[in-house]
Amino acid sequence: MRRLLALRELWLAVGSLGLFCATIVRAAEPSDAVPESASVVLRVKAPQTTLGNLGDFVDAVQPGFGAVVKGNVAMLGLAISNPGLAGVDIEKDWWAIVFAESRQKPAVVFAVSATDANAIKNALPPGFQFHSVDKLAIYSDDAAALGKVRDRLSGQGTGLWSKTDASSKKLFESSDLSVLINLRQLTKAFAGELQQAEPHLDGFLNQISGAVPDAQRLQLIPMLDMYRVLGKSALQGVRDSHSLTLAASFSKDAIRFEDRLQVAEGSATAKFFAAQPTSELSLMSRLPANKLVYFGAKMDMAGMMDWSMSMTKSLIANSSAEQKSQFDATAKEMRGLKFNEMAGYFGLDPAAVGAVRGAAIMEVTPTARMRELGHAMVKFMSEVQTPGFKQTMKLEAAAEKIAGTEVDRITIQQEFDPSLDPGGIQKKIRDLLFGEAGMQQLVMYQPTRTVQTFGGGKAELENLLTSLGASSSNDAARATARKRFAEKANVVVLVDVPQLIVNGLKLAAREKVIPVEASVLDSLQLTPSFIGGAIACEPTAAGAQFEIPVAQAQGIAKIVMLVMQIRQQAQ
């Protein structure tokens, strides 16, 4: 009997523990409050901690200013209709749930963790309704919207997260600031507006075309058609989409933004994403060091080629029907080439006559046919004229040889109507960037890729070829920046913004445009680093990343302070 009583007491203890644990598990969280009918969900992760992280970044850029950011937690109270933050837990996440319908004012429901629910209730403005569950307080000035959230908290209906893919949810939950846009709901709510968007787009572009003089309309039509395709593709993308997640994270080392678009499986947009193969973009890592801009890309180049050819065709709108037919045939053949990865860089040499330095490498086969088609394109573009502007292209096949391989030279010269440029400013800028001889491009066709440089002559191409042949990267800053983004991506772009600005200022100083010596600019001692971004497609999603490292922000701050100092001295 005693044994039975002991077993009963043990069973009751275990049951009580289980009930206690279940109660803990069922404690209401803001994420539980979001119904699938929500249009937009906003989240601030632990506001005091988030502002602390942002303050650390600001302090690293401009010492002393971080304290101002950290001390502004109370200002966030205005955003949640509780200016004094009465009863609000600033160490827990704050949420706002937005409901939007066509031709109606959006309704907002706030969901915050409470240290004192009654204090929150008493601090709300007139007209607000309040409800609390456990330590979660929800309130709104719209009774219907608050009812939807209350119903969801009580277990009624379907939650938004059951309709959200795991990667989007993870991004939303892990970031300091998050916004999830429920495009599935919004496309239904605003179906009428979306239906009218395409006719409005057509009407707007037709209106632009009709307002342009006849002499320019032929050149403008292909460009407008491209905008038409882009606009309608964007509208189709909205219709195909389930959700768009926008997120930001802060640390003393960087500010980072990430976006993720989730689309319906089998949709036109999903098929487009699936056709974009990602890559490690290793070609970019073999480019020469100490450039201002780097990019790497791998995507469906056939589609990109169509857009490029459409733009080019707009520049030869005044050509004969036979020439246009030949151009179309050449463009069709170029589309049939096999493209793979591409990469390139841009730089400015402030001490050179013709400061621009650039390069582009494209993996393509067969390169012999690519060369023939490239020559044909130069012929089509040999002379382009628009009112006030004339551009000529001259091809010198096999103008140089490097290591036994022929190198073509293409010279692009631009002329401006003096009556439209009486001060000769455009000509001066042209000569400053490219030299009086015009922009010279050297092109080498290797067995599996084309290698071309802009500016710098033969030495620039030789330096690029040497770098491409190296077994490893010699640019630590670029390698570090590349690791911050998706290992496999469609596009990666890195830009050293402070150094780009400084080199531009050196050019201006050399031309006596600004009163500053190059040595003063060198004394800024900028740390090599890159602001960067990446895009990566998946079968039913596309993600984007953008990051500002603290060294870039510090460099920009130094330049701003120097410019302010120069202006003060000039007064």
Side-chain angles (χ1 to χ4, degrees):
M1 186 65 180
R2 289 181 178 178
R3 182 174 297 178
L4 289 174
L5 289 173
L7 286 174
R8 188 182 70 174
E9 291 173 1
L10 177 61
W11 176 255
L12 289 172
V14 171
S16 298
L17 180 61
L19 181 62
F20 175 72
C21 292
T23 302
I24 294 176
V25 170
R26 288 198 303 270
E29 294 289 340
S31 58
D32 302 330
V34 186
E36 66 174 332
S37 59
S39 305
V40 180
V41 186
L42 302 92
R43 169 182 164 274
V44 181
K45 181 180 181 180
Q48 183 153 294
T49 302
T50 293
L51 281 183
N53 292 337
L54 180 58
D56 289 341
F57 179 87
V58 172
D59 223 24
V61 175
Q62 197 68 30
F65 283 77
V68 178
V69 175
K70 294 178 182 181
N72 269 331
V73 176
M75 295 294 293
L76 295 179
L78 295 172
I80 61 170
S81 298
N82 187 343
L85 294 178
V88 177
D89 190 343
I90 60 175
E91 292 293 351
K92 298 290 180 64
D93 300 353
W94 298 355
W95 292 53
I97 306 165
V98 182
F99 298 89
E101 296 291 339
S102 179
R103 306 181 191 280
Q104 295 181 24
K105 178 183 175 182
V108 182
V109 179
F110 299 101
V112 299
S113 293
T115 57
D116 185 339
N118 285 329
I120 295 178
K121 182 179 180 180
N122 294 331
L124 294 176
F128 272 72
Q129 298 192 29
F130 178 85
H131 178 70
S132 64
V133 180
D134 300 323
K135 291 188 175 182
L136 179 64
I138 59 173
Y139 53 93
S140 175
D141 61 356
D142 188 291
L146 185 65
K148 293 177 183 179
V149 174
R150 289 182 64 173
D151 289 345
R152 181 61 206 136
L153 278 172
S154 64
Q156 299 179 43
T158 304
L160 177 61
W161 306 116
S162 66
K163 305 290 185 179
T164 306
D165 70 291
S167 295
S168 296
K169 185 179 180 183
K170 181 180 178 181
L171 175 61
F172 184 89
E173 292 177 341
S174 63
S175 303
D176 292 327
L177 293 177
S178 312
V179 179
L180 187 140
I181 303 173
N182 186 1
L183 292 170
R184 195 193 322 242
Q185 183 272 336
L186 287 171
T187 52
K188 291 179 181 178
F190 294 88
E193 286 83 352
L194 277 174
Q195 190 174 3
Q196 292 298 316
E198 284 194 21
H200 287 165
L201 174 65
D202 286 332
F204 175 69
L205 294 176
N206 291 340
Q207 187 177 6
I208 293 176
S209 177
V212 174
D214 293 341
Q216 301 175 26
R217 186 174 296 117
L218 287 175
Q219 295 176 335
L220 187 63
I221 286 175
M223 185 179 299
L224 292 178
D225 287 343
M226 185 189 71
Y227 290 146
R228 199 183 310 272
V229 170
L230 287 173
K232 292 183 178 182
S233 297
L235 289 171
Q236 184 61 48
V238 171
R239 295 189 187 97
D240 292 342
S241 297
H242 284 173
S243 65
L244 173 62
T245 306
L246 312 173
S249 298
F250 312 112
S251 72
K252 64 179 181 180
D253 300 317
I255 294 178
R256 184 177 181 86
F257 301 93
E258 290 194 55
D259 307 330
R260 180 178 172 82
L261 178 68
Q262 183 70 25
V263 301
E265 187 175 352
S267 64
T269 306
K271 292 175 182 177
F272 173 79
F273 288 164
Q276 312 303 319
T278 57
S279 164
E280 294 179 358
L281 303 178
S282 57
L283 189 60
M284 186 176 73
S285 67
R286 301 204 303 274
L287 297 175
N290 303 319
K291 302 300 181 181
L292 302 176
V293 180
Y294 292 98
F295 74 88
K298 183 173 183 180
M299 61 189 73
D300 175 20
M301 291 302 298
M304 294 296 294
M305 193 62 65
D306 286 343
W307 285 353
S308 175
M309 292 299 103
S310 177
M311 289 292 292
T312 303
K313 190 175 181 179
S314 69
L315 297 175
I316 60 169
N318 296 321
S319 301
S320 66
E322 182 181 358
Q323 288 175 315
K324 291 179 181 178
S325 177
Q326 291 174 347
F327 177 89
D328 290 339
T330 302
K332 184 178 180 180
E333 275 203 67
M334 191 166 286
R335 193 181 191 280
L337 299 175
K338 186 176 180 180
F339 295 93
N340 191 31
E341 189 177 322
M342 65 182 297
Y345 65 77
F346 171 83
L348 285 175
D349 184 350
V353 177
V356 168
R357 300 288 183 269
I361 304 95
M362 180 176 289
E363 295 177 338
V364 57
T365 55
T367 51
R369 187 55 182 152
M370 178 67 181
R371 186 180 189 185
E372 293 171 358
L373 295 173
H375 287 184
M377 282 295 173
V378 173
K379 183 179 179 180
F380 288 127
M381 299 291 293
S382 60
E383 184 173 311
V384 174
Q385 291 195 54
T386 60
F389 173 81
K390 177 181 177 181
Q391 177 176 287
T392 59
M393 296 182 69
K394 177 184 176 184
L395 170 67
E396 299 172 78
E400 301 276 3
K401 265 194 175 183
I402 297 178
T405 302
E406 292 181 348
V407 177
D408 297 339
R409 181 189 294 119
I410 300 171
T411 302
I412 301 175
Q413 187 61 275
Q414 298 174 336
E415 300 175 22
F416 305 96
D417 186 340
S419 65
L420 299 178
D421 184 29
I425 301 298
Q426 294 183 12
K427 181 180 182 301
K428 290 177 182 177
I429 293 174
R430 179 202 68 186
D431 294 346
L432 185 66
L433 296 179
F434 306 117
E436 292 186 4
M439 185 176 75
Q440 293 196 336
Q441 174 183 347
L442 296 180
V443 188
M444 175 184 283
Y445 295 87
Q446 297 181 325
T448 60
R449 65 189 179 198
T450 64
V451 182
Q452 52 189 316
T453 55
F454 308 87
K458 187 175 179 180
E460 189 74 17
L461 179 56
E462 289 175 330
N463 183 49
L464 173 58
L465 294 171
T466 299
S467 184
L468 290 172
S471 58
S472 60
S473 170
N474 60 348
D475 191 335
R478 183 180 64 208
T480 299
R482 175 65 185 92
K483 290 178 182 177
R484 301 198 309 264
F485 302 103
E487 183 178 353
K488 291 188 175 182
N490 295 106
V491 178
V492 172
V493 178
L494 306 175
V495 185
D496 188 345
V497 174
Q499 194 62 58
L500 179 61
I501 295 172
V502 164
N503 283 16
L505 292 174
K506 285 183 177 180
L507 274 175
R510 192 186 80 186
E511 299 300 310
K512 308 300 182 184
V513 176
I514 58 174
V516 64
E517 296 294 331
S519 58
V520 174
L521 295 167
D522 289 333
S523 70
L524 293 174
Q525 297 182 332
L526 301 176
T527 301
S529 60
F530 296 92
I531 287 176
I535 297 174
C537 292
E538 304 171 22
T540 58
Q545 301 169 320
F546 180 77
E547 187 170 293
I548 307 172
V550 69
Q552 284 283 292
Q554 289 169 338
I556 293 171
K558 288 180 180 180
I559 295 170
V560 170
M561 296 299 291
L562 176 62
V563 171
M564 291 175 63
Q565 182 181 344
I566 293 173
R567 290 185 62 181
Q568 288 176 354
Q569 292 175 350
Q571 291 176 353

